[in-house]
Amino acid sequence: MGYLWFWCALLAVEAVPENRVSFRLELRALPAGLRLAREPQALVLQRDGVPVHRLPLPAIPKKAQRKDDHAVLALGAHGLWILRLSPEGRLVVVARHRFPKPVDGFFFEANRVVPTTGGKPFPLHPLPPKIRPPAQPTPSRETDIWPVEDRLRELTGQDFHRMLDWPERATLAPPVSTRPKVFLETNFLQTLGLPSTTVQHNPGHLIELFLRVGYHLTPRHVLGLSFAFGYGDYEYHDLGGGEHTYRMGEYANPLYFFYRYSMDTHPVEVQLEPVVAEVEDSRTDENNIILGIRVGAAWVRRNGPMRFGVEVRLDLFLKFVQPSVSLIYGINF
């Protein structure tokens, strides 16, 4: 009785894959940071949330699915498209397969993809022999359509290769650096204070260390917390001359809050944060705390975890205006 059930099970087995159309995929792991998004009639490749390549499609896919570093699309009458997400951040069309009937789906078997129409795979049939059409006299080029051979012969090599690459690749500018959703950065600043607009003073040198935790609300806008440690101060001289001076230092962020705007196509960041400083008047030897706002613009480059740049800052207080230029050395996580 057991043998009877065994033979019945063999007869009920689905047809072997050799009896239906399937295509092999050379799968690899998806490169880090890449992500595939879909628009109604286009695919968008993103790196760390920033679009780097957009591929227009001839129709809205009936079905689309990513498998490792490949993406497969069922495009109805346009057939089955197989794409690869390259490590360079591009969508490469590996193959386009057309069939007599529209492709409305597919499924995977290990590393092979099987297209379907009406929910069923396409059966394998031998291709009919190619029949060459009878030779036709070349029509007049003034009134009739040129034969395909003549039109291809008239194309330049550049136009021909561009036709082979259809649809044309729409290349977007790459992001200026990797922008994680949440980051921790340390900035070691060597700051040079410049003459102020309200008092006269000699340029001074200040060493500062910043520890910032930021969160990207969008790829451009950042909110975060900032902790500053500084050593050194600046000495201001009275405009009227004499020995009267102001000593200004002990800069800090009283609210530990900062806002940053990062440009997409340039490595430029604009930052806004509150600031307090301690001012000592040589006439009274008193220390006063003054509140202001700091506006900074930085040119920053990131190389792996390292962060280098130049920052121009303007500290605006009620009686003082403090411009400064800083060199940035930091680590970004």
Side-chain angles (χ1 to χ4, degrees):
M1 190 66 179
Y3 287 104
L4 178 60
W5 282 108
F6 176 77
W7 287 111
C8 290
L10 287 180
L11 293 176
V13 170
E14 189 181 356
V16 294
E18 286 75 17
N19 292 335
R20 57 194 178 193
V21 176
S22 65
F23 305 98
R24 180 181 177 83
L25 303 178
E26 297 293 335
L27 299 175
R28 297 183 180 88
L30 182 67
L34 288 183
R35 179 178 173 271
L36 190 62
R38 227 185 89 184
E39 297 178 359
Q41 203 165 329
L43 292 180
V44 179
L45 186 61
Q46 299 178 350
R47 186 187 295 278
D48 298 320
V50 179
V52 295
H53 190 202
R54 182 177 181 276
L55 180 67
L57 302 174
I60 299 177
K62 305 292 185 182
K63 181 180 179 181
Q65 186 174 347
R66 182 184 66 81
K67 188 175 179 65
D68 293 338
D69 66 334
H70 279 62
V72 182
L73 309 176
L75 291 173
H78 296 275
L80 183 78
W81 283 29
I82 301 176
L83 294 82
R84 179 171 174 264
L85 285 62
S86 69
E88 297 79 16
R90 301 191 64 84
L91 290 168
V92 180
V93 180
V94 178
R96 304 183 187 93
H97 302 286
R98 284 204 175 187
F99 300 89
K101 297 181 179 180
V103 178
D104 58 5
F106 55 86
F107 59 91
F108 294 100
E109 288 184 343
N111 61 343
R112 302 186 73 88
V113 58
V114 181
T116 62
T117 179
K120 297 181 180 180
F122 288 89
L124 271 180
H125 295 295
L127 295 176
K130 184 178 292 187
I131 301 176
R132 297 184 63 87
Q136 297 289 338
T138 303
S140 170
R141 297 185 177 180
E142 286 74 19
T143 59
D144 298 319
I145 300 176
W146 290 12
V148 175
E149 293 81 1
D150 290 351
R151 282 182 282 165
L152 291 177
R153 202 175 296 120
E154 292 294 329
L155 288 174
T156 64
Q158 183 179 2
D159 291 339
F160 182 72
H161 286 293
R162 197 174 67 183
M163 290 174 61
L164 292 179
D165 289 338
W166 185 91
E168 292 186 3
R169 299 166 179 171
T171 303
L172 302 178
V176 296
S177 60
T178 302
R179 293 173 178 172
K181 194 73 173 177
V182 180
F183 64 88
L184 170 67
E185 68 182 23
T186 63
N187 296 319
F188 176 76
L189 273 61
Q190 291 181 291
T191 304
L192 179 66
L194 302 175
S196 171
T197 59
T198 56
V199 293
Q200 179 184 0
H201 75 290
N202 298 323
H205 184 265
L206 182 65
I207 297 176
E208 298 176 274
L209 179 63
F210 284 88
L211 180 66
R212 290 192 177 107
V213 180
Y215 177 78
H216 276 274
L217 301 175
T218 69
R220 299 180 184 179
H221 301 279
V222 178
L223 288 179
L225 299 176
S226 176
F227 305 92
F229 309 92
Y231 175 76
D233 49 31
Y234 299 113
E235 186 174 287
Y236 296 79
H237 296 274
D238 192 1
L239 286 174
E243 301 297 328
H244 178 207
T245 61
Y246 298 95
R247 187 175 297 275
M248 190 171 179
E250 301 296 332
Y251 298 93
N253 185 335
L255 302 179
Y256 306 104
F257 163 83
F258 75 91
Y259 165 77
R260 178 183 296 170
Y261 177 83
S262 300
M263 295 186 180
D264 280 341
T265 56
H266 302 282
V268 177
E269 301 173 348
V270 179
Q271 188 158 302
L272 188 68
E273 59 183 326
V275 63
V276 295
E278 185 178 279
V279 178
E280 178 185 351
D281 192 335
S282 64
R283 293 173 297 184
T284 60
D285 292 333
E286 292 182 356
N287 294 335
N288 297 318
I289 302 298
I290 58 175
L291 179 64
I293 189 169
R294 172 173 290 173
V295 182
W299 179 91
V300 180
R301 277 290 186 184
R302 293 179 178 87
N303 184 10
M306 301 304 297
R307 191 171 186 266
F308 307 94
V310 178
E311 183 177 28
V312 178
R313 297 186 305 189
L314 188 64
D315 296 341
L316 303 173
F317 300 98
L318 184 60
K319 295 183 179 180
F320 299 93
V321 177
Q322 172 63 55
S324 58
V325 178
S326 304
L327 297 179
I328 301 174
Y329 313 91
I331 300 176
N332 196 86
F333 298 97

